[in-house]
Amino acid sequence: MAEHYFTAAPSSPAATHDVPFRVDGRDLVLQAAAGVFSGTRLDPGTAVLLEHAPRPPATGRLLDLGCGYGPIACALSLRSPAADVVAVDVNERARELTAANAATLGLAVTVTADDDGPFDAIWSNPPIRIGKAALHALLLRWLGRLAPEGVAYLVVQRNLGSDSLQRWLDSVGHPTERLTSVRGYRVLATR
Ligand SMILES: C[S@@+](CC[C@H](N)C(=O)[O-])C[C@H]1O[C@@H](n2cnc3c(N)ncnc32)[C@H](O)[C@@H]1O
């Protein structure tokens, strides 16, 4: 049976693939691999988040929640080199790839399995496929680590429940607005 991308320790061979990656007119290449999310190309939802979420603040602690091979964390660090960018993932291969990609690009990204925060902002293409209960628990845990004025930017496919997720976030005390809807993805801002 194929492994899920959120497996903690993938057993599939870690054959890597070049993923072309364009940030602010700069053409870069990241390394992705089997056993991590979207291991051969930039996920279209991630592309929407990077194009349409607000620019990160110049400084502060910024979190990439569920970093995969690190495209969001690397983009945050490229855009805000003076910020303290933290990347977390349950998947150890994802963490290794993010650390290696950041190092190759000369970016200071802290890669870890956990971090107590607080965070000034969070960016995430969250792992919808782990199931609703696990996703809700994950979001509650990390949104609780936002600084008081902090905002989390989430990209969720409309067909995978973005609107019901927005309603749920509102109902549990995280006021959430839809910033945009592009190519079937919603970008949500939640506090
Ligand atoms: C949709 S993928 C996005 C990956 C990457 N940010 C990207 O845009 O390509 C979601 C990520 O969340 C991670 N994930 C799943 N459960 C998690 C958990 N409990 N804690 C942290 N990360 C988790 C998965 O391993 C996966 O890498």
Side-chain angles (χ1 to χ4, degrees):
M1 204 172 96
E3 277 176 326
H4 291 298
Y5 66 76
F6 44 88
T7 300
S11 60
S12 55
T16 55
H17 306 276
D18 287 353
V19 176
F21 183 54
R22 193 171 170 83
V23 180
D24 301 343
R26 276 181 71 183
D27 284 313
L28 306 166
V29 176
L30 298 181
Q31 292 288 305
V36 301
F37 175 77
S38 198
T40 55
R41 59 164 194 162
L42 185 67
D43 176 67
T46 301
V48 166
L49 183 70
L50 293 177
E51 285 163 27
H52 294 278
R55 308 278 302 186
T59 58
R61 298 198 80 224
L62 314 181
L63 174 70
D64 173 3
L65 171 57
C67 60
Y69 61 90
I72 297 173
C74 289
L76 293 174
S77 188
L78 282 162
R79 287 174 170 172
S80 295
D84 180 7
V85 177
V86 178
V88 300
D89 205 291
V90 70
N91 178 326
E92 65 184 22
R93 184 173 295 168
R95 295 196 301 272
E96 288 166 8
L97 285 162
T98 297
N101 282 323
T104 301
L105 296 175
L107 302 171
V109 173
T110 302
V111 185
T112 178
D114 201 5
D115 186 303
D116 288 339
F119 299 102
D120 298 293
I122 296 174
W123 277 256
S124 187
N125 179 350
I128 301 297
R129 306 239 178 236
I130 62 177
K132 197 186 275 189
L135 176 68
H136 288 179
L138 179 73
L139 290 174
L140 285 178
R141 180 157 85 247
W142 290 94
L143 291 175
R145 297 173 182 177
L146 270 175
E149 301 302 318
V151 185
Y153 302 105
L154 310 176
V155 66
V156 184
Q157 208 171 336
R158 186 168 47 82
N159 292 343
L160 293 182
S162 55
D163 295 352
S164 65
L165 184 68
Q166 180 177 355
R167 284 192 295 274
W168 174 78
L169 286 164
D170 268 328
S171 75
V172 294
H174 290 291
T176 300
E177 60 174 316
R178 185 200 300 169
L179 294 185
T180 190
S181 181
V182 181
R183 302 193 289 274
Y185 291 89
R186 311 275 208 228
V187 177
L188 306 178
T190 187
R191 293 169 192 277

